[in-house]
């Protein structure tokens, strides 16, 4: 998945489900500072954290299915939802 395809998929999800991006691309230093994992998709601009306006009944399942259909993996992290490509493999980004 290219960064453009990823951006398009995130835009579709946010518009469909009422979300906004709170974190996208990061430097390795910033990723470490905020507690991100080594090799994070964020450091390749292929990771995005989203918060939602509302989460009605069935919301999580609907978002997960829509994300999967768009080629995205979903991780619910409490106060936000993390997305990255389904085929993402942790990569080390030079410091």
């Amino acid at each position: 998945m290219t960064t453009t395809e990823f951006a398009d998929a995130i835009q579709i999800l946010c518009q469909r489900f009422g979300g906004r991006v709170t974190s996208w691309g990061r430097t390795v230093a910033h990723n470490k500072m905020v507690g991100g994992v080594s090799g994070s998709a964020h450091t390749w601009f292929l990771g995005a954290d989203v918060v939602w306006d509302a989460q009605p009944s069935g919301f999580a399942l609907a978002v997960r299915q829509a994300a999967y259909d768009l080629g995205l993996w979903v991780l619910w992290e409490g106060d936000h939802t993390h997305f990255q490509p389904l085929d993402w493999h942790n990569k080390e980004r030079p410091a």
Side-chain angles (χ1 to χ4, degrees):
M1 175 175 276
T2 68
T3 55
T4 301
E5 291 166 339
F6 181 75
D8 288 346
I10 294 298
Q11 179 183 6
I12 289 166
L13 287 174
C14 286
Q15 288 177 322
R16 179 173 174 191
F17 294 102
R20 60 186 163 80
V21 175
T22 59
S23 182
W24 197 296
R26 300 175 183 164
T27 65
V28 171
H30 179 74
N31 189 62
K32 185 176 181 178
M33 183 180 71
V34 299
V37 299
S38 178
S40 170
H42 284 283
T43 64
W44 295 85
F45 284 77
L46 290 171
D49 296 337
V50 174
V51 295
W52 309 100
D53 293 340
Q55 296 185 30
S57 178
F59 178 82
L61 184 59
V63 169
R64 187 176 302 279
Q65 184 60 55
Y68 182 81
D69 292 345
L70 291 164
L72 300 177
W73 181 76
V74 181
L75 177 61
W76 299 92
E77 296 188 320
D79 64 342
H80 68 276
T81 309
H82 172 83
F83 295 95
Q84 62 191 41
L86 280 172
D87 61 355
W88 174 258
H89 302 287
N90 268 7
K91 302 176 186 179
E92 288 297 325
R93 180 67 89 154

